[in-house]
Amino acid sequence: MAAVEQNGNGPLAIEVRALRHRFGRQQVLNGVDLDFPRGQITTIVGPSGCGKTVLLKHLNLLLRADSGKIVIDGVDVTRLGNRGLDEVRKEFGMLFQAGALFDSMSVFDNVAFPLVENTRLGREEIAPKVREMLANVGLEGMEAKYPSELSGGMQKRAALARALIRNPKLLMLDEPTTGLDPTRTGSIHALVRHTQQRFGLTVVMVSHDVPAVFEISDHVAFMHEGRMRLSGTPAEVTAANDEVFNRFLAGRAAGEEQGASAL
Amino acid sequence: MVERLGALVIDNVTALGNFVLFLGTAVWCAVTPPYKPRLVIRQVRIIGAESIVLVGLIGAFTGMVLGLQGYNTLRRFGSEGALGTVVALVLVRELGPVLAALMVTARAGSAMAAELGSMQATEQVDALAVMAINPIQYLVSPRVIAGVISFPLLTSIFDVIGIWGGYLIGVGLMGAPGGSYLNGIAQNMSGHDIMSGLYKALVFGLVVMWVCCYKGYHAQRMATGVSRATTEAVVLSSVLILAWDYFLTSILL
Ligand SMILES: Nc1ncnc2c1ncn2[C@@H]1O[C@H](COP(=O)(O)OP(=O)(O)OP(=O)(O)O)[C@@H](O)[C@H]1O
Ligand SMILES: [Mg+2]
C-alpha cells in the first residue's frame, strides 16, 4: 500500500494508517485510517471530544502518534526530524480552533506574519495582499485592531486570512465556522470552496456545520470513538444510513433547538 | 516504596535534563541563522530600557542607606574617610548585580513567564511551529540575548546612581569629607572589582531569562498553570540569583 506513490504527486495528499494516541488512560485515537485525496475538500465530523482536533494536530505534526503512520506527499512524516518537519510545514496553512492569533500584534501584522517571516517580499508587496485577504474574509478596515478588540467570529476570520495568505498547498481548518452567523458561515464556506478550486488546494476541515458543510465537501468522514466510522462522498455517507451517524445528526438538530429555546 | 523513590529520581533527573536542554537549544538557535536582531532590540527595550527608572530608584535608595549606615559605623572607628570606598565596593561587587537582577526578575521576568505561558495556553506557540518558525528561536533566544546584554548595563546604572546616593547622604547630609569619598573610590577600586560585578550581572541575566522563559514555555495550558508558572519563575530566579552569587563570589574573589 505504501509503495504506490513516492513522487509527491499521487492522487492522495495525506494517508493516515492505524494511528493511535493516548493521553494517560484515555485512548483518544484508536486506529484511525483515512485518505485525503489531493485537490479536494475532506471534512471530518463527529461529536465534541471525539478527537478531531487531536487528529488534526497529528497531521500538522504538533503531536506525535504512539503508533501508526502519516504519509504526506509520499513522505512518512512520523519519522521526520525538526528540519524535515519545517520543510513539510512550509506548505501548510492552519486555522486553529480558537484562532491562535498573536495577541501582541495588530490584525494586519498577524495576517502579514507568514509573509514577513517566511518570504523575501517587501512591505509594499505584502500590504496589498493582506488588504485583499482581509477583504475576502469580510474584515476590511480592521487592520489596526488588536485580536482582543475583535469578536470571536472576527478572530476566526482573521485567523483564516492568516492561514490562507501564503497560498498553502494543504489547508487545515479546525471548525472555521463555529460561532459565525448563518450568512457568514455561507460566505466562509464559499471562500474556502473558491480558494480551493482556484489554487487546487487540498483542504482538511473539521466542522460541526452538518449538513451545511456537506455541500462544499468532496469527502466526509464521521469520527466516532477514536476511529473513522464512516467515510466517503457526502451522498455515500448519508446513504449509509448508519445508526450512530443518524443519532449524531438528530442529536445536533435537537441540541440546536434546545439551545435556541434556552436563549 | 523503592519503586516510587526510583520514579521520583527519574522524574527529577528528566526535568533537570529538559531544563538544561532548553538553554542549550536557545543558545544554539541564537547562534544559527536566521538571526532576529529586531526581536532582540525589542526585548532589550522591554527588559532593559523600561527597567531603568526602577533600577535607578532602587540604586539611589540603596546607596543612600549605605551612606547612612556606613557613616555611622565608620565614625566609631574614626575612619569616615573610607566611606566612599566602602559604599562603592559593596555596591559594585555585591549589591548592584544582585539587587538589579532581583528587581528585573520581579518586573520583566514575571511578565515574560506570564506572556509565554499565555501564548502556550492559547496555542500561539503551536501556531508559530506550524508556520515553520522555531518557537524557541523566535521567542526564547532573543530574550536570553537581551538579558545578557541588559543586565550588565542596568547593573552599571545601579552602581553609579548608588554611589552618588551614598555621596548625597554620607557627605551632603552627615558631613563626611567629600574629597576623600571620591578619591578613595578612585584609588581603591580596581578593574577586577568592576569586572567581577559585571560578570555576575551577565550570569544573572542568563539565569533569569533561562528560568523565566522555561517556566513560561512549559506552563500548563490554563489560567492557573500560567499563574503558577509566573510564581515559580520569580521564586526560582531569586533563589538561583543568590545561590549563584555565593558561588561566583567565591570563584571571583
Ligand atoms: N493535551 C491533552 N492532554 C490530555 N487530554 C487531551 C489533550 N488534548 C485533548 N485531550 C483529550 O482528547 C479528547 C479529544 O479532544 P479533541 O480536542 O480532539 O476533541 P474534538 O473532537 O476536537 O472536540 P470539539 O469538537 O469539542 O473541538 C478529549 O476527551 C480531550 O479530553
Ligand atoms: Mg476540536
XYZ file of all heavy atoms in Angstrom, chain B residues 190-246:
438
model
N 39.517 48.528 41.885
C 40.318 48.016 40.773
C 39.408 47.602 39.612
O 38.193 47.459 39.771
C 41.126 46.803 41.240
O 40.241 45.753 41.549
N 40.023 47.427 38.466
C 39.276 46.929 37.312
C 38.651 45.579 37.614
O 37.546 45.283 37.169
N 39.363 44.794 38.426
C 38.861 43.475 38.787
C 37.544 43.568 39.552
O 36.621 42.786 39.325
C 39.908 42.734 39.626
C 39.430 41.401 40.116
N 39.290 40.324 39.271
C 39.027 40.987 41.342
C 38.835 39.296 39.966
N 38.668 39.673 41.229
N 37.459 44.558 40.459
C 36.208 44.742 41.199
C 35.053 44.998 40.239
O 33.977 44.422 40.362
C 36.336 45.933 42.159
C 37.327 45.655 43.283
O 37.372 44.497 43.732
O 38.052 46.587 43.678
N 35.318 45.909 39.288
C 34.251 46.270 38.356
C 33.872 45.066 37.492
O 32.689 44.747 37.326
C 34.703 47.459 37.479
C 34.908 48.684 38.381
C 33.673 47.746 36.403
C 35.468 49.872 37.673
N 34.900 44.373 36.982
C 34.608 43.244 36.088
C 33.876 42.135 36.830
O 32.960 41.528 36.284
C 35.906 42.689 35.486
C 36.510 43.556 34.401
S 35.305 44.269 33.277
C 34.768 42.807 32.421
N 34.257 41.880 38.080
C 33.597 40.769 38.771
C 32.117 41.082 38.966
O 31.272 40.193 38.849
C 34.289 40.467 40.101
O 33.956 41.448 41.047
N 31.789 42.352 39.200
C 30.373 42.730 39.294
C 29.657 42.528 37.973
O 28.521 42.038 37.927
N 30.335 42.886 36.893
C 29.677 42.773 35.587
C 29.536 41.313 35.154
O 28.548 40.937 34.530
C 30.440 43.577 34.533
C 30.388 45.096 34.772
C 31.081 45.848 33.640
C 28.959 45.598 34.927
N 30.553 40.481 35.508
C 30.405 39.045 35.218
C 29.176 38.488 35.908
O 28.403 37.730 35.332
C 31.633 38.260 35.713
C 32.855 38.378 34.842
C 34.122 38.492 35.401
C 32.731 38.361 33.455
C 35.242 38.611 34.608
C 33.856 38.480 32.661
C 35.103 38.606 33.234
O 36.208 38.709 32.449
N 29.048 38.876 37.166
C 27.883 38.404 37.918
C 26.597 38.805 37.196
O 25.694 37.985 37.005
C 27.875 39.018 39.317
C 28.749 38.325 40.311
C 28.521 38.963 41.676
C 29.434 38.301 42.708
N 29.304 38.952 44.021
N 26.536 40.076 36.803
C 25.319 40.566 36.155
C 25.028 39.758 34.894
O 23.876 39.398 34.607
C 25.473 42.044 35.814
N 26.087 39.447 34.168
C 25.921 38.689 32.926
C 25.342 37.300 33.209
O 24.388 36.852 32.561
C 27.306 38.574 32.296
C 27.397 38.287 30.824
C 28.371 39.281 30.213
C 27.905 36.892 30.606
N 25.915 36.646 34.218
C 25.414 35.316 34.581
C 23.968 35.403 35.062
O 23.118 34.592 34.683
C 26.313 34.678 35.669
C 25.702 33.386 36.172
C 27.699 34.418 35.111
N 23.673 36.417 35.893
C 22.299 36.560 36.376
C 21.346 36.783 35.211
O 20.237 36.261 35.190
C 22.176 37.733 37.355
C 22.949 37.543 38.631
C 23.266 38.617 39.439
C 23.352 36.279 39.030
C 23.976 38.443 40.613
C 24.066 36.088 40.200
C 24.385 37.175 40.986
N 21.764 37.590 34.231
C 20.909 37.829 33.061
C 20.561 36.523 32.385
O 19.404 36.264 32.052
N 21.563 35.684 32.208
C 21.339 34.391 31.566
C 20.401 33.526 32.404
O 19.424 32.965 31.900
C 22.685 33.689 31.374
C 22.659 32.398 30.575
C 22.442 32.723 29.108
C 23.959 31.633 30.754
N 20.695 33.452 33.701
C 19.916 32.563 34.575
C 18.451 33.014 34.650
O 17.529 32.209 34.522
C 20.545 32.519 35.992
C 19.606 31.847 36.971
C 21.870 31.788 35.946
N 18.241 34.320 34.836
C 16.870 34.815 34.999
C 16.059 34.569 33.727
O 14.933 34.074 33.775
C 16.878 36.315 35.368
C 15.481 36.900 35.266
C 17.428 36.503 36.767
N 16.634 34.881 32.573
C 15.884 34.677 31.331
C 15.643 33.199 31.081
O 14.572 32.799 30.624
C 16.657 35.279 30.153
C 16.749 36.770 30.193
S 15.100 37.488 30.250
C 15.277 38.585 31.620
N 16.632 32.402 31.392
C 16.515 30.956 31.225
C 15.345 30.419 32.059
O 14.437 29.751 31.550
C 17.840 30.319 31.641
C 17.949 28.837 31.630
C 17.123 27.948 31.027
C 18.990 28.066 32.271
N 17.573 26.671 31.238
C 18.709 26.716 32.003
C 20.100 28.392 33.031
C 19.533 25.685 32.464
C 20.914 27.366 33.481
C 20.622 26.023 33.205
N 15.353 30.765 33.363
C 14.313 30.245 34.255
C 12.935 30.780 33.845
O 11.970 30.018 33.722
C 14.624 30.644 35.715
C 13.440 30.338 36.614
C 15.864 29.922 36.202
N 12.850 32.089 33.612
C 11.538 32.680 33.340
C 10.978 32.175 32.009
O 9.787 31.883 31.903
C 11.618 34.201 33.353
S 11.980 34.834 35.007
N 11.823 32.060 30.997
C 11.339 31.534 29.718
C 10.953 30.064 29.854
O 9.932 29.637 29.339
C 12.402 31.687 28.629
S 12.653 33.378 28.116
N 11.761 29.305 30.577
C 11.469 27.873 30.716
C 10.141 27.675 31.428
O 9.291 26.902 30.977
C 12.595 27.190 31.500
C 12.367 25.717 31.718
C 12.719 24.793 30.743
C 11.780 25.246 32.887
C 12.497 23.436 30.930
C 11.556 23.896 33.079
C 11.915 22.990 32.102
O 11.689 21.661 32.282
N 9.952 28.396 32.519
C 8.717 28.226 33.286
C 7.494 28.645 32.454
O 6.476 27.992 32.469
C 8.779 29.030 34.582
C 9.711 28.421 35.613
C 9.141 27.122 36.161
C 10.083 26.456 37.139
N 9.622 25.116 37.512
N 7.630 29.774 31.751
C 6.509 30.227 30.929
C 6.232 29.275 29.787
O 5.097 28.897 29.530
N 7.286 28.850 29.138
C 7.154 27.989 27.955
C 6.521 26.661 28.311
O 5.798 26.073 27.518
C 8.550 27.761 27.363
C 8.551 27.274 25.949
C 8.471 28.179 24.898
C 8.631 25.929 25.654
C 8.473 27.746 23.595
C 8.625 25.483 24.342
C 8.555 26.394 23.324
O 8.549 25.956 22.023
N 6.797 26.174 29.530
C 6.277 24.873 29.923
C 5.097 24.986 30.875
O 4.788 24.044 31.592
C 7.388 24.028 30.535
C 8.437 23.660 29.540
N 8.283 22.628 28.652
C 9.622 24.225 29.237
C 9.348 22.558 27.872
N 10.172 23.522 28.196
N 4.443 26.139 30.877
C 3.274 26.307 31.741
C 2.173 25.353 31.296
O 2.044 25.048 30.120
C 2.769 27.745 31.670
N 1.383 24.880 32.262
C 0.209 24.095 31.895
C -0.778 25.003 31.177
O -0.890 26.184 31.489
C -0.430 23.514 33.151
C 0.371 22.342 33.673
C -0.451 21.509 34.627
O -1.292 22.029 35.334
N -0.195 20.220 34.625
N -1.487 24.395 30.240
C -2.286 25.223 29.341
C -3.605 25.675 29.942
O -4.681 25.304 29.484
C -2.529 24.453 28.046
C -1.231 24.143 27.344
C -1.471 23.522 26.029
N -0.224 23.523 25.269
C -0.165 23.401 23.978
N -1.260 23.266 23.270
N 0.996 23.401 23.373
N -3.524 26.433 31.023
C -4.734 27.008 31.619
C -4.318 28.173 32.494
O -3.142 28.382 32.751
C -5.456 25.945 32.437
C -4.540 25.242 33.415
S -5.372 23.868 34.170
C -4.123 23.309 35.292
N -5.347 28.932 32.944
C -5.051 30.159 33.673
C -4.230 29.873 34.928
O -3.241 30.559 35.200
C -6.347 30.870 34.044
N -4.614 28.841 35.707
C -3.857 28.565 36.923
C -2.448 28.094 36.580
O -1.518 28.350 37.335
C -4.544 27.482 37.777
O -4.879 26.401 36.912
C -5.781 28.008 38.437
N -2.297 27.422 35.448
C -0.971 26.998 35.014
C -0.078 28.205 34.769
O 1.094 28.215 35.146
N -0.648 29.245 34.156
C 0.131 30.449 33.869
C 0.517 31.154 35.162
O 1.666 31.572 35.340
C -0.662 31.403 32.939
C 0.104 32.691 32.729
C -0.950 30.723 31.619
N -0.437 31.262 36.084
C -0.111 31.984 37.319
C 0.916 31.191 38.119
O 1.826 31.775 38.715
C -1.368 32.252 38.142
O -1.909 31.044 38.615
N 0.794 29.866 38.125
C 1.787 29.079 38.856
C 3.171 29.226 38.213
O 4.173 29.383 38.911
C 1.387 27.616 38.893
C 2.427 26.850 39.664
C 2.193 25.375 39.791
N 0.852 25.014 40.132
C 0.326 23.827 39.814
N 1.041 22.973 39.144
N -0.898 23.537 40.145
N 3.203 29.215 36.886
C 4.483 29.353 36.187
C 5.139 30.680 36.554
O 6.352 30.752 36.779
C 4.270 29.261 34.681
N 4.326 31.750 36.637
C 4.862 33.066 36.958
C 5.482 33.071 38.347
O 6.615 33.536 38.554
C 3.739 34.116 36.882
O 3.040 33.938 35.659
C 4.300 35.508 36.945
N 4.738 32.535 39.313
C 5.252 32.481 40.676
C 6.543 31.675 40.731
O 7.547 32.118 41.307
C 4.215 31.811 41.603
O 2.956 32.413 41.365
C 4.602 31.981 43.048
N 6.509 30.483 40.151
C 7.695 29.630 40.200
C 8.888 30.302 39.534
O 10.022 30.182 39.999
C 7.415 28.292 39.505
C 6.525 27.382 40.322
C 6.239 26.076 39.616
O 6.750 25.879 38.486
O 5.501 25.269 40.168
N 8.620 31.014 38.435
C 9.710 31.687 37.723
C 10.383 32.708 38.639
O 11.613 32.762 38.733
C 9.182 32.365 36.459
N 9.574 33.508 39.343
C 10.146 34.555 40.199
C 10.881 33.937 41.378
O 12.013 34.329 41.705
C 9.041 35.520 40.683
C 9.595 36.496 41.700
C 8.452 36.267 39.501
N 10.266 32.941 42.004
C 10.897 32.329 43.183
C 12.206 31.641 42.795
O 13.262 31.876 43.398
C 9.932 31.321 43.848
C 10.656 30.530 44.929
C 8.736 32.054 44.430
N 12.136 30.816 41.761
C 13.337 30.076 41.373
C 14.448 31.025 40.913
O 15.618 30.842 41.264
C 13.001 29.057 40.275
C 14.131 28.115 39.876
C 14.603 27.321 41.090
C 13.672 27.150 38.787
N 14.069 32.057 40.151
C 15.080 33.035 39.715
C 15.756 33.673 40.911
O 16.988 33.792 40.957
C 14.445 34.135 38.861
O 13.921 33.614 37.688
N 14.954 34.091 41.895
C 15.525 34.786 43.045
C 16.473 33.872 43.805
O 17.578 34.282 44.194
C 14.415 35.268 43.985
O 13.454 35.976 43.245
N 16.044 32.625 44.019
C 16.896 31.686 44.743
C 18.198 31.465 43.974
O 19.295 31.505 44.544
C 16.156 30.347 44.957
C 17.116 29.296 45.490
C 14.990 30.537 45.907
N 18.064 31.270 42.658
C 19.264 30.992 41.865
C 20.192 32.201 41.822
O 21.415 32.050 41.796
C 18.887 30.557 40.449
C 18.340 29.126 40.342
C 18.010 28.784 38.906
C 19.342 28.124 40.902
N 19.621 33.404 41.812
C 20.474 34.597 41.822
C 21.354 34.591 43.066
O 22.575 34.754 42.999
C 19.623 35.888 41.795
C 18.996 36.081 40.417
C 20.465 37.106 42.153
C 17.937 37.148 40.375
N 20.741 34.340 44.230
C 21.502 34.391 45.479
C 22.473 33.219 45.587
O 23.603 33.385 46.045
C 20.543 34.433 46.673
C 19.732 35.743 46.686
C 18.635 35.713 47.722
C 20.646 36.933 46.931
N 22.048 32.046 45.128
C 22.948 30.895 45.189
C 24.152 31.113 44.272
O 25.303 30.933 44.661
C 22.196 29.632 44.789
N 23.871 31.529 43.036
C 24.976 31.797 42.104
C 25.866 32.910 42.604
O 27.068 32.911 42.369
C 24.429 32.175 40.720
C 24.251 30.997 39.850
C 23.070 30.397 39.524
C 25.275 30.243 39.187
N 23.300 29.318 38.726
C 24.651 29.200 38.498
C 26.672 30.352 39.137
C 25.346 28.269 37.745
C 27.367 29.428 38.387
C 26.712 28.400 37.705
N 25.253 33.872 43.296
C 26.046 34.979 43.807
C 27.117 34.457 44.751
O 28.279 34.867 44.679
C 25.141 35.977 44.529
C 25.915 37.195 44.975
O 26.668 37.724 44.132
O 25.794 37.591 46.136
N 26.713 33.510 45.602
C 27.707 32.949 46.522
C 28.825 32.247 45.748
O 30.011 32.493 45.971
C 27.047 31.972 47.496
C 28.078 31.330 48.379
C 28.619 32.027 49.457
C 28.577 30.068 48.091
C 29.612 31.468 50.232
C 29.566 29.498 48.862
C 30.087 30.209 49.932
O 31.081 29.660 50.690
